[in-house]
Amino acid sequence: MEAMWWLGWSASALCADEIVDATVPVVLSINEVVAMGGAGIGFARGASGLLANPAAPVVRRLEDDPKTGLNVALNYSRTTNDLLNIGSEYEKESRLLNLGATSYVGRLGGGAMISGLRVFDGGDNRIQYVDGSAAVAGLTRDGVGAVGVGPRFLWVELQSGDARERFLSVGAQGGVAFDDPDTGWNVGLTLRSSVRAEPTSGLFDIGALVLPWQIGLGVAWVSPAVRTRDTDGLRFRTAADMVVFGPAPDDSVALAPLLFGDLIETTQTLRYSPRVGVEAEVLPDRLRLRAGGYREPPRVASQAPRLHATGGAELNIIRVQFKRLLDDDLTLETAFDAAERYWRLGVSIGFWHSGIVGGQVPEEPGPASPIEPR
């Protein structure tokens, strides 16, 4: 029975087989997407795009090799704030990690990505949370469309000292992406099933941790000056997403307050998160500025939706060359995400790119040369 008290719970405070809503509606992505208000479904690409769209492994940028490619994403940050919008009394230390890789060969590709979160109460209690995605994807013959399918998984560990309880389960997800290089439009759609993770040891009176289903629709547009590399025209792109989180189960409680021994019932309604962002290349091939914002839906009835303001920049700093293996422009990227009781600042190193994403089809072989007569 000692494990029942690890979070300060009493037998009368915790009902048997409690259902916990594990939704995390804050945008946890790379700096490029965060700076544009979290709107990344329409131009999702590579490992970082897998957080938004399972079709992302075969989507590539204009300058990427059309035959083969490898993409790796890593993002880490550490904050002390009300990450999950529960209330000022629940401000705590949190660590965020995004890590993954994708690759493609011709029209086929795949990969995996995790979004990890560790939350502390200032003592020995902590929650470790991983929402993961994996997918296989393929391009249509004309290279305009892409489709991806695969599993999504939830892994959570509740810990106090040596007492630990783990939850693990797998769901399904699918996504499509379309791009029209002539007009600059990109459209993406993502569907993610619900996930119900049962406890592995039954130390606590928690029946399951649940992630509700999720639907996301994204639209992005790239200006003609970007597509033609025109130095006189305005180079910019804009994106807008709508993400819908399904309702939490009846009488479910929020995850983070369990660190403090509190049971707070979550909202049992659909939760909407519109997101919008814009990027402008103010100095051609040198400096881009980004700005945007999104609505974070409430997770508990006591809190209102939070409006987030985001922004950032990307600076082309130096060209890096190493024999035939590397010939790219190295960039410094920054992003911030600010809301009530929430602040996040990110800095990372990346590579300068065109800003255009979409499918590429390997070139078809030309007609065979006529056989010379003897």
Side-chain angles (χ1 to χ4, degrees), residues 105-161:
V105 178
R107 294 189 177 91
L108 299 178
M113 187 77 183
I114 63 169
S115 179
L117 171 64
R118 176 180 283 188
V119 186
F120 302 82
D121 72 339
D124 294 332
N125 302 330
R126 68 193 62 185
I127 296 173
Q128 298 186 85
Y129 172 103
V130 175
D131 183 4
S133 296
V136 293
L139 279 176
T140 58
R141 180 169 291 276
D142 59 6
V144 173
V147 59
V149 295
R152 69 175 301 202
F153 62 89
L154 172 67
W155 179 89
V156 177
E157 181 180 84
L158 306 179
Q159 178 181 349
S160 179

Side-chain angles (χ1 to χ4, degrees), residues 319-328:
R319 189 163 191 83
V320 179
Q321 294 177 308
F322 180 72
K323 297 183 178 181
R324 296 183 178 181
L325 299 178
L326 186 63
D327 186 8
D328 290 287

